[in-house]
Amino acid sequence: MRALVKFRLGDGFTELREVPKPRVEFHYALVKVKAVGICGADIHFYRGRYDELLRPPVILGHEFSGVVVEVGSEVKGFAIGDRVTCETHGEVCGECYHCISGNYNLCPQRRGFGYQKDGAFAEYILVPSIRLHKLPDVISFEEGALTEPTSVVHHALAEKGQIKPGDIIVVTGPGPIGILSAQMARIQGAQKVIVTGLTADESRLELALKLGADVTINVEKEDAVEEVVKITGGLGCDVLVEASGEAQPKRDALEMVRKGGQILLVGHGSGKMEIDLDQVTRKEISLIGTWSHTWKNWERSLKLIAAKRIDVGALITHRFPLADWKNAFKVVEDRKALKAIIIP
């Protein structure tokens, strides 16, 4: 079968290859991939920025949906022909504190699809059936591929977050995670949602307004901290969702959030950086890191997508065949695409 393989560490070293079709046994299922979303992390893996996480050679891609074409002898609840989407936890130990308590996203032996286990930029992917979720008929395969980022946002805002009806929420970064966060904040009862971005993000900021935001701020034309303070009457926002992964928005977050407020760190990629943690103490800020998702986040995200309370289809701007993966990655890297989908 054809697959996009990252074959060694460093910038590039990725190519389309013919690889063996996975063999199915026991509790695994073979899924014929119908749609795969390109995540920002895929670009980082391609460019060698997350080499410490990679285990090459490995097939990239982790946001996907498809059809079950073969099941192992111990698979229960799934059959050939089922439309499915799948969590990104390719492997967990199942025995540690985190796994037993239901937080297997934090398993120290977790191996994720697309960088430590073979992923979905391929014609087929082999997955543990326990990580599969049936895709409702009202959700297309392309929309189903976006269950993963929706689940990340659900985990952050609906599970780790403390958003209450009437709250003012700031989302920094209008990428897919940021725009989904604006929609999720509205569902959680936010009274006002503010999204910040750059001049290059103008079209994304416009989409954010259509999908749940009340106010957008171009940080290259306005002082985001001053604007948020002004909008909130000098108090600061109740909850700030940092979805950009950049260093400066993380620093600004400490200035934007009110005393006793909460900062949810969803975006990552800034690495080591200087930050004034004394502000966290003086303002009694809750600084919460959020990582990945679990079963309940997937099930609830699917319900929200099926009910059209979360619009994931509006984020899809480009579609490419697997053979054209280089152009697909380029439009994402150049920020011309909001969410690009590959059809293997």
Side-chain angles (χ1 to χ4, degrees):
M1 69 173 187
R2 293 180 308 162
L4 185 63
V5 179
K6 174 80 178 183
F7 56 89
R8 59 175 284 191
L9 300 178
D11 186 359
F13 303 115
T14 304
E15 65 185 14
L16 202 59
R17 290 182 173 181
E18 283 291 331
V19 300
K21 185 177 176 181
R23 180 180 176 182
V24 181
E25 56 184 17
F26 305 118
H27 61 281
Y28 282 84
L30 187 66
V31 175
K32 181 172 178 55
V33 180
K34 292 292 187 179
V36 196
I38 300 176
C39 176
D42 294 318
I43 304 301
H44 290 310
F45 291 137
Y46 171 54
R47 288 302 182 189
R49 301 186 189 112
Y50 291 168
D51 275 358
E52 69 277 8
L53 299 176
L54 275 169
R55 295 186 181 182
V58 66
I59 299 169
L60 299 177
H62 60 272
E63 301 179 358
F64 68 97
S65 65
V67 176
V68 175
V69 294
E70 192 175 346
V71 295
S73 59
E74 297 180 16
V75 172
K76 297 179 181 179
F78 291 93
I80 294 172
D82 283 347
R83 304 172 74 250
V84 294
T85 182
C86 185
E87 297 173 37
T88 60
H89 315 296
E91 182 180 311
V92 298
C93 76
E95 299 175 351
C96 69
Y97 171 86
H98 303 291
C99 285
I100 293 173
S101 64
N103 300 313
Y104 51 86
N105 57 311
L106 301 178
C107 174
Q109 295 184 50
R110 176 187 181 275
R111 296 176 66 187
F113 286 126
Y115 60 103
Q116 294 169 330
K117 295 276 287 186
D118 280 338
F121 287 134
E123 294 179 81
Y124 298 92
I125 181 171
L126 186 67
V127 303
S129 62
I130 195 173
R131 301 295 168 226
L132 287 173
H133 296 260
K134 291 184 179 179
L135 197 62
D137 290 339
V138 295
I139 300 178
S140 70
F141 286 117
E142 292 184 3
E143 292 170 326
L146 270 64
T147 311
E148 194 276 340
T150 307
S151 298
V152 168
V153 168
H154 186 277
H155 177 66
L157 276 70
E159 188 171 359
K160 298 298 182 182
Q162 298 174 1
I163 298 174
K164 299 177 179 64
D167 278 353
I168 297 178
I169 311 301
V170 170
V171 179
T172 54
I177 294 294
I179 294 177
L180 288 169
S181 293
Q183 295 185 68
M184 195 69 72
R186 183 65 73 198
I187 291 173
Q188 291 295 106
Q191 184 263 330
K192 183 170 288 187
V193 179
I194 304 165
V195 179
T196 71
L198 307 171
T199 299
D201 296 324
E202 287 294 352
S203 62
R204 300 181 176 198
L205 292 172
E206 290 175 6
L207 181 60
L209 287 172
K210 295 178 182 178
L211 296 179
D214 298 285
V215 180
T216 60
I217 299 172
N218 183 329
V219 300
E220 294 179 313
K221 295 181 179 180
E222 302 172 280
D223 187 303
V225 174
E226 288 184 2
E227 288 300 311
V228 169
V229 171
K230 184 191 304 181
I231 292 169
T232 59
L235 182 65
C237 65
D238 298 287
V239 178
L240 186 139
V241 181
E242 206 306 289
S244 74
E246 300 296 330
Q248 191 57 49
K250 292 179 181 178
R251 298 189 189 96
D252 291 343
L254 297 173
E255 304 287 344
M256 293 183 192
V257 73
R258 66 167 171 80
K259 291 182 178 180
Q262 184 183 46
I263 297 174
L264 298 171
L265 300 176
V266 187
H268 57 95
S270 56
K272 295 179 180 179
M273 54 174 284
E274 291 187 3
I275 191 167
D276 183 8
L277 288 178
D278 285 342
Q279 291 189 75
V280 176
T281 303
R282 291 194 300 267
K283 295 176 69 174
E284 290 194 350
I285 296 169
S286 295
L287 187 63
I288 308 295
T290 71
W291 177 251
S292 197
H293 40 68
T294 60
W295 184 91
K296 59 186 173 184
N297 304 126
W298 276 74
E299 284 298 307
R300 292 173 184 177
S301 293
L302 284 168
K303 289 177 181 177
L304 291 171
I305 295 170
K308 306 301 182 185
R309 298 195 67 192
I310 292 282
D311 186 351
V312 295
L315 276 61
I316 301 171
T317 56
H318 294 70
R319 297 164 179 83
F320 296 87
L322 181 58
D324 201 17
W325 71 270
K326 287 184 179 180
N327 284 328
F329 274 40
K330 189 174 190 311
V331 296
V332 174
E333 191 170 23
D334 293 346
R335 299 177 64 82
K336 294 179 180 178
L338 178 55
K339 176 58 73 173
I341 297 289
I342 282 183
I343 311 296

